[in-house]
């Protein structure tokens, strides 16, 4: 039996080296659940030090780039990536949910498969 991890879970080790501290991940996906593309652009967000942020990893949240609990019904195999930063900073959080460096944008949204994809939601800008 193989376990399929979401990109968000695979980034846990990398997160600590960037000043990002992951506090808790709600679960591990044992099924083939995949995130949907919520946006074809990243979200610029001002983060506060030591605050716990729940980055939406499923793409179903109406409060992008953050989780609103939609994964519980729409994508039960996925859960948000919960993270903090050690100092206040402005970052670009992934909106396409395909980043290899979640929760941060790595430019994957520029790839053809994302740009040609149909959006699942029409998120607004959140800071």
């Amino acid at each position: 039996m193989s376990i399929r991890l979401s990109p968000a879970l695979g980034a846990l080790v990398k997160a600590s080296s960037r000043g990002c501290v992951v506090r808790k991940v709600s679960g591990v996906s044992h099924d083939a659940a995949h995130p949907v593309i919520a946006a074809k652009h990243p979200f610029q967000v001002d983060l506060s030090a030591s605050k716990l942020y729940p980055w939406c990893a499923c793409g179903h949240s109406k409060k992008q780039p953050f989780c609103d609990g939609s994964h519980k019904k729409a994508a039960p195999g996925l859960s948000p990536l919960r993270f903090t930063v050690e100092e206040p900073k402005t970052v670009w959080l992934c909106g396409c949910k395909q980043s290899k460096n979640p929760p941060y944008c790595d430019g994957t949204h520029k790839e053809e498969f994302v740009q040609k994809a149909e959006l699942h939601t029409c998120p607004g800008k959140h800071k």
Side-chain angles (χ1 to χ4, degrees):
M1 178 173 114
S2 67
I3 297 174
R4 179 178 219 134
L5 299 178
S6 71
L9 293 174
L12 292 176
V13 174
K14 292 181 188 176
S16 63
S17 67
R18 291 187 315 270
C20 173
V21 180
V22 178
R23 298 278 179 123
K24 176 184 174 186
V25 175
S26 300
V28 175
S29 175
H30 294 280
D31 62 6
H34 296 285
V36 295
I37 296 172
K40 296 180 182 182
H41 58 81
F43 294 89
Q44 184 178 8
V45 183
D46 296 321
L47 301 177
S48 301
S50 303
K51 180 177 177 182
L52 186 62
Y53 292 95
W55 176 75
C56 171
C58 74
H60 292 279
S61 175
K62 303 245 186 299
K63 295 184 177 182
Q64 293 293 332
F66 300 110
C67 178
D68 68 359
S70 295
H71 65 279
K72 293 173 187 172
K73 289 185 180 178
L78 297 174
S79 57
L81 175 75
R82 301 179 195 283
F83 71 100
T84 63
V85 292
E86 294 176 358
E87 58 190 42
K89 62 171 111 175
T90 300
V91 300
W92 291 91
L93 297 181
C94 176
C96 73
K97 311 306 172 187
Q98 308 299 310
S99 175
K100 307 230 180 344
N101 189 29
Y104 304 104
C105 175
D106 67 356
T108 301
H109 65 277
K110 297 175 187 175
E111 292 186 22
E112 187 175 349
F113 82 95
V114 174
Q115 290 301 309
K116 289 190 173 187
E118 194 170 314
L119 291 180
H120 177 70
T121 61
C122 296
K125 185 176 180 180
H126 291 79
K127 278 194 167 193

